Amino acid sequence: MRTNTAIIDDQGKLNNFAIEPKVYIDEQGDRTGFTPYAEMLNGRLAMIGFVSLIALEVFTGHGIIGVLASL
């Protein structure tokens, strides 16, 4: 026997816990979490940042700390 908010089992006991929703897997594609795409993007951004810091030091003669201290 089933009502809107509770279930009565075959022994006549009332189970008034919430009825669980249907479980499904949300397909978000391969672009979330630790995926090869995310790791490649992270590596590329790290390389761009590293090269930018080297270029900053070559053009200004100071490292990142020296540039930030002079602001």
Side-chain angles (χ1 to χ4, degrees), residues 2 5 10 47 67 69:
R2 208 170 197 174
T5 59
D10 55 351
M47 287 185 278
V67 171

Side-chain angles (χ1 to χ4, degrees), residues 5-69:
T5 59
I7 299 173
I8 298 176
D9 63 3
D10 55 351
Q11 297 174 354
K13 295 180 183 176
L14 179 65
N15 181 358
N16 58 357
F17 295 108
I19 298 172
E20 293 187 17
K22 181 181 176 186
V23 179
Y24 65 94
I25 297 173
D26 189 12
E27 297 291 335
Q28 294 182 359
D30 290 338
R31 295 183 180 231
T32 58
F34 294 106
T35 61
Y37 173 79
E39 294 299 319
M40 276 197 305
L41 181 63
N42 188 23
R44 288 173 182 162
L45 292 175
M47 287 185 278
I48 290 171
F50 186 72
V51 169
S52 299
L53 286 176
I54 291 175
L56 176 76
E57 189 163 346
V58 166
F59 291 129
T60 63
H62 300 288
I64 187 69
I65 303 297
V67 171
L68 292 176

